[in-house]
Amino acid sequence: MEELLILKELLHEGKVSEALELVEELEEMSKSDKLNKIFSYGIIVLLHLIKRAAEKRSTKSWETSIFNSVKQIQRTNQRPKGKGYYLQEDELLETLEDAYESALRKAALEAFEGGYTADELCNLVNQDAVIREAMDLILGREN
């Protein structure tokens, strides 16, 4: 909010170039926030997909969490007024690959009642297949 007041003041003072610099900073802050949200929801999607693959079962709670997190990623990634996406497909894939280790560590605490370490759980799950499934869900592709 403080930045908007500064922006207003700069515009009233006719300092357009300084105002534009502030606008660029605000855009970067907004984009960074959106990318962090996508990363966080990506961890949740991957967490439940890892558990589902490892335990070879699912629950209504996991499926709901996957669904809700996918929807949040889709909404967060959509630019205003349908003008494209913050992350293109290759960047989204990179984000999920980056989030995978965090999801795996969390899944190790939850899957099989915490009976496996992350390294052990990793051997039970095909990382590429889990990430591909997450991408298909997020991009609305049929599995």
Side-chain angles (χ1 to χ4, degrees):
M1 186 64 180
E2 181 182 330
E3 289 87 355
L4 293 177
L5 295 174
I6 294 170
L7 179 60
K8 182 179 177 181
E9 185 178 313
L10 289 171
L11 290 172
H12 281 300
E13 293 173 1
K15 297 179 181 177
V16 176
S17 63
E18 291 176 29
L20 288 174
E21 286 179 27
L22 184 55
V23 168
E24 288 177 19
E25 285 180 35
L26 290 169
E27 285 177 336
E28 280 302 311
M29 288 170 44
S30 174
K31 183 176 180 181
S32 178
D33 179 56
K34 293 192 182 298
L35 300 183
N36 286 335
K37 285 181 183 177
I38 291 169
F39 182 83
S40 295
Y41 283 115
I43 290 173
I44 296 169
V45 171
L46 293 169
L47 160 71
H48 293 297
L49 292 177
I50 290 167
K51 291 191 312 185
R52 188 167 76 181
E55 292 190 7
K56 297 182 181 13
R57 69 179 186 94
S58 191
T59 69
K60 289 180 181 180
S61 174
W62 296 356
E63 294 304 317
T64 299
S65 186
I66 291 168
F67 176 84
N68 290 338
S69 295
V70 164
K71 285 294 180 196
Q72 288 299 321
I73 291 170
Q74 291 169 338
R75 290 187 63 193
T76 303
N77 197 32
Q78 182 73 48
R79 287 191 178 271
K81 300 177 183 169
K83 294 184 180 181
Y85 300 95
Y86 289 99
L87 292 177
Q88 298 305 313
E89 189 171 337
D90 59 330
E91 296 167 313
L92 185 57
L93 176 61
E94 188 177 305
T95 299
L96 291 177
E97 289 170 344
D98 189 29
Y100 190 84
E101 184 179 357
S102 296
L104 182 65
R105 288 179 176 275
K106 189 162 179 151
L109 298 172
E110 296 181 18
F112 302 105
E113 298 179 6
Y116 291 92
T117 66
D119 290 337
E120 293 168 332
L121 189 60
C122 181
N123 293 326
L124 299 177
V125 178
N126 181 327
Q127 177 177 341
D128 292 335
V130 169
I131 291 173
R132 188 172 44 252
E133 183 176 3
M135 286 291 293
D136 288 345
L137 290 168
I138 293 165
L139 297 175
R141 299 189 291 224
E142 295 296 317
N143 292 338

